[in-house]
């Protein structure tokens, strides 16, 4: 019998495959599809060759056994945010139309990274407080 989790994952996987196919069809109709495919290939190489090994290494060195997953998750999220923002940060300046890229993308990336760091710190602090309370309760019981 299929569990609810298996059904949910299967449904989400099917939706993801349909959306990926739709994106591929729409991309193929564009004049710059080779540029996008090249960027996507570069993103995979950057992630697997640079971001993932750095995240795993930092998690091993800095996270300790209890917060290793938290640190890896925060670093992986930060790396993916930077990778997504990279094309906007490396755009040629100035643009002919000021409304094409109207935002301050460096500030947006820095704010996003600050939110990731703050949430990771908050989660770490909550874990530490819970662990301390559990130790105190066990010691008194």
């Amino acid at each position: 019998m299929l569990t609810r989790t298996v059904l949910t994952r299967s449904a989400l996987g099917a939706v993801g495959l349909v959306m990926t196919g739709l994106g591929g069809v729409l991309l193929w109709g564009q004049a710059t599809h080779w540029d996008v495919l090249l960027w996507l290939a570069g993103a995979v190489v950057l992630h697997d060759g640079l971001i993932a090994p750095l995240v795993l290494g930092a998690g091993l060195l800095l996270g300790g056994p209890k917060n290793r997953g938290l640190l890896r998750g925060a670093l992986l999220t930060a790396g993916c945010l930077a990778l997504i923002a990279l094309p906007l940060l490396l755009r040629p300046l100035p643009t002919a139309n000021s409304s094409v890229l109207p935002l301050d993308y460096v500030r947006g990336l820095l704010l996003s990274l600050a939110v990731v760091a703050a949430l990771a710190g908050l989660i770490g602090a909550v874990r530490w407080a819970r662990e301390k309370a559990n130790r105190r309760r066990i010691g008194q019981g």
Side-chain angles (χ1 to χ4, degrees):
M1 183 168 148
L2 295 175
T3 64
R4 190 180 324 177
T5 303
V6 171
L7 290 173
T8 302
R9 287 182 179 174
S10 299
L12 288 174
V15 169
L17 287 174
V18 168
M19 297 303 288
T20 300
L22 176 63
V25 168
L26 293 174
L27 173 65
W28 199 254
Q30 302 296 319
T32 61
H33 62 277
W34 292 113
D35 293 336
V36 174
L37 289 175
L38 181 64
W39 183 87
L40 287 173
V44 170
V45 169
L46 254 171
H47 176 270
D48 292 349
L50 182 67
I51 294 173
L54 288 175
V55 165
L56 291 174
L60 286 171
L61 293 174
L62 303 174
K66 293 183 182 177
N67 288 319
R68 187 176 296 158
L70 176 62
L71 181 63
R72 285 180 183 169
L75 289 173
L76 189 60
T77 302
C80 289
L81 283 171
L83 188 62
I84 290 168
L86 193 62
L88 298 170
L89 298 174
L90 298 178
R91 70 187 186 275
L93 294 176
T95 58
N97 183 351
S98 62
S99 67
V100 172
L101 298 169
L103 302 175
D104 184 0
Y105 294 102
V106 173
R107 184 185 68 177
L109 176 62
L110 292 176
L111 285 172
S112 298
L113 294 176
V115 167
V116 169
L119 286 175
L122 181 64
I123 291 169
V126 167
R127 286 181 181 176
W128 177 79
R130 281 185 182 170
E131 183 178 319
K132 188 175 178 182
N134 284 341
R135 271 193 243 140
R136 201 176 300 147
R137 188 182 62 215
I138 291 171
Q140 291 176 354

